Amino acid sequence: LLDSWDDRYRYVIELGRGLEPLSEAERTEANKVQGCASQVWLATHRRPDGEGGPALSFVGDSDAHIVRGLIAILLALYSGKPARDIVSTDAVEVFNQLGLREHLTPQRSNGFRSMVERIKSDAREALAAAA
C-alpha cells in the first residue's frame, strides 16, 4: 500500500474525483447524511431479492474532496452487496487496516461513522422489508 499519509491522502482524493456526479434529483434532504461537517448525500437503490437477501447499491457525493474519496471507498466496500453482508461488514476496521482512520480529524471521523451508519441502516431496513 502507499507508505506515507500524504500519498494515501492524495490517492483518496483521486478516488473521489472518479465518482460519478450525483444527479440533482438525488440531492434531496432525504438523501443528506446528518452528522457530517460537509455536505454529503447518499442514495440507496435496492435490487430484487437474490441469494443472501436484497442487494443494495449506493451513489453518493460531497462538497469536500477528501469526503468524496471516503465515499468512493465506502461504495467499493458496500455497493452491490447483499444487505446481510453490508450489516456484517465493519468499515471502521477496514479503514484502520488501510491506515486512514488515525489521520482523519474528529469531525471527519464522526462524518465517516455517520455515512457507515446510514448505509447499514438502509441495509437493515431492506432486510426487515424482505422478511
Side-chain angles (χ1 to χ4, degrees):
L1 201 60
L2 303 169
D3 292 329
S4 77
W5 166 242
D6 288 340
D7 289 343
R8 281 180 275 180
Y9 185 83
R10 281 191 288 278
Y11 182 67
V12 170
I13 289 174
E14 197 59 37
L15 289 173
R17 287 188 179 125
L19 276 183
E20 291 292 321
L22 194 64
S23 72
E24 285 303 315
E26 291 178 309
R27 288 179 182 264
T28 65
E29 272 306 306
N31 287 339
K32 200 166 186 186
V33 178
Q34 302 304 313
C36 294
S38 52
Q39 303 270 348
V40 177
W41 298 269
L42 285 174
T44 304
H45 303 279
R46 183 175 167 192
R47 292 198 319 247
D49 293 351
E51 189 174 322
L56 303 178
S57 60
F58 303 93
V59 291
D61 202 358
S62 176
D63 60 352
H65 295 297
I66 187 70
V67 177
R68 282 179 59 85
L70 298 177
I71 292 168
I73 293 170
L74 287 175
L75 297 185
L77 185 62
Y78 289 123
S79 198
K81 304 288 191 317
R84 186 178 311 132
D85 292 351
I86 292 169
V87 170
S88 66
T89 300
D90 185 354
V92 173
E93 180 55 32
V94 170
F95 268 62
N96 287 339
Q97 291 173 2
L98 293 173
L100 296 174
R101 187 166 171 252
E102 67 268 13
H103 294 287
L104 296 178
T105 65
Q107 282 184 316
R108 292 276 187 248
S109 291
N110 288 339
F112 171 74
R113 282 192 293 280
S114 293
M115 289 186 284
V116 170
E117 184 48 42
R118 168 65 177 278
I119 288 169
K120 288 188 174 218
S121 175
D122 288 354
R124 287 189 293 270
E125 286 178 19
L127 286 172

